[in-house]
């Protein structure tokens, strides 16, 4: 098996400076706990909801390997408000495979959203976004993903290396079991530099300045029955949610 490269973790106090200088930064689970003020057992209490995600009916590659839920929130300072349920939409320029399509997914479980850990997590990451680009309301889309090996191979990013058309992206590993692969790759959008590593510890977090970097995760393959990879992806956008013109 190919050796897994560890993420380049930085202390929570260095997250904002590195995000400013490099456009990406990774936090260990302990670092995310320190940043958010949420204990790891509180974060882990969210994880069982990944066992109850509906199949993604919009995969244009014909695959059956992705399950997901999606909800939207508005973050204004310390106030976190869940927005009315809406479709997820991206322009073709950012997602050549699924762009231009209104995709309606099941919303997140109210029990998950109602846990005290949830708004604290959003507020802490929103504060980092504001520290880089200035305080403002952030329009947050939350995606719960499970990529499994039903088809023998699962593709976390079937659209390939991409940007999301937002200001910031947080990719948080919730868990992985019975798989190999799933390497994270981050590249400069306007340069030759890049890094690659594998997120293996639950609640490892990668923060990305979406304007400056592109990212992808490589396919996964099973090593045991029921192999899967669970992530929480949060996108932060100023000015409003993405939607058709």
């Amino acid at each position: 098996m190919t050796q897994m490269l560890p993420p380049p973790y930085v202390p929570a106090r260095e997250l904002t400076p590195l995000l400013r200088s490099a456009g990406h930064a990774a936090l260990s689970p302990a670092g995310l706990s320190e940043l958010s003020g949420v204990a790891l057992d509180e974060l882990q209490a969210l994880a069982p909801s990944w066992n109850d995600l509906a199949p993604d009916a919009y995969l244009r590659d014909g695959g059956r390997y992705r399950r997901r839920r999606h909800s939207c929130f508005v973050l204004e300072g310390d106030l976190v408000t869940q927005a009315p349920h809406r479709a997820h939409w991206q322009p073709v320029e950012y997602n050549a495979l699924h762009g231009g399509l209104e995709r309606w997914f099941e919303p997140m479980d109210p029990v998950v959203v109602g846990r005290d850990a949830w708004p604290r997590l959003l507020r802490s990451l929103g504060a980092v976004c504001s520290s880089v680009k200035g305080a403002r309301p952030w329009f947050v889309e939350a995606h719960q993903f499970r990529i499994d090996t039903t088809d023998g191979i699962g593709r976390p990013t079937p659209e390939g290396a991409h940007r999301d058309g937002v200001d910031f992206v947080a990719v948080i590993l919730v868990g992985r079991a019975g798989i190999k692969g799933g390497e994270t790759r981050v590249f400069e959008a306007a340069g030759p530099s890049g890094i690659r590593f594998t997120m293996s510890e639950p609640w490892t977090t990668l923060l990305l300045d979406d304007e400056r970097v592109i990212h992808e995760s490589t396919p996964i393959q099973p090593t045991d029955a029921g192999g899967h990879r669970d992530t929480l992806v949060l996108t932060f956008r100023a000015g409003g949610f993405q939607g058709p013109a």
Side-chain angles (χ1 to χ4, degrees):
M1 182 181 295
T2 304
Q3 182 179 8
M4 297 194 300
L5 300 174
Y9 293 142
V10 299
R13 65 180 179 278
E14 296 178 14
L15 178 63
T16 295
L18 187 59
L19 198 54
R20 286 192 185 120
S21 63
H24 57 85
L27 282 177
S28 68
L32 178 63
S33 178
E34 179 184 346
L35 180 77
S36 63
V38 181
L40 285 175
D41 60 351
E42 293 180 83
L43 291 171
Q44 194 57 32
L46 304 176
S49 65
W50 268 259
N51 294 323
D52 187 30
L53 305 183
D56 185 337
Y58 296 95
L59 282 170
R60 284 179 165 169
D61 64 0
R64 301 169 299 155
Y65 52 81
R66 185 159 74 181
R67 294 175 172 268
R68 67 193 295 180
R69 287 181 182 262
H70 167 253
S71 288
C72 295
F73 304 84
V74 179
L75 179 57
E76 299 180 86
D78 287 337
L79 180 63
V80 179
T81 305
Q82 185 165 6
H85 193 52
R86 58 184 290 120
H88 176 50
W89 186 91
Q90 292 174 293
V92 175
E93 291 82 1
Y94 291 105
N95 190 327
L97 186 61
H98 298 112
L101 180 67
E102 287 192 328
R103 291 180 282 167
W104 288 92
F105 301 109
E106 291 294 317
M108 293 179 64
D109 188 331
V111 174
V112 174
V113 174
R115 288 186 178 271
D116 183 57
W118 182 253
R120 291 160 67 191
L121 178 63
L122 295 190
R123 281 196 294 265
S124 64
L125 294 172
V128 173
C129 299
S130 291
S131 70
V132 176
K133 292 197 173 181
R136 65 199 67 190
W138 293 107
F139 295 82
V140 183
E141 293 196 47
H143 305 263
Q144 292 179 286
F145 288 106
R146 169 164 288 182
I147 307 299
D148 64 33
T149 52
T150 297
D151 295 339
I153 189 169
R155 296 177 174 83
T157 51
E159 64 272 38
H162 65 284
R163 292 162 55 205
D164 287 314
V166 297
D167 288 274
F168 296 95
V169 179
V171 181
I172 304 173
L173 180 73
V174 176
R176 55 180 284 154
I179 61 168
K180 59 182 179 180
E183 183 178 83
T184 297
R185 297 177 178 178
V186 182
F187 310 93
E188 290 179 342
S193 298
I195 60 170
R196 61 187 184 94
F197 55 88
T198 302
M199 301 166 73
S200 60
E201 296 181 274
W203 307 103
T204 293
T205 301
L206 174 65
L207 270 292
L208 304 166
D209 184 331
D210 191 59
E211 184 178 1
R212 296 177 56 192
V213 299
I214 59 177
H215 64 280
E216 67 175 341
S217 296
T218 62
I220 61 172
Q221 294 177 284
T223 59
D224 291 306
H228 64 271
R229 180 178 185 264
D230 294 346
T231 55
L232 171 64
V233 176
L234 302 169
T235 64
F236 294 77
R237 189 172 188 265
F241 296 110
Q242 292 190 103

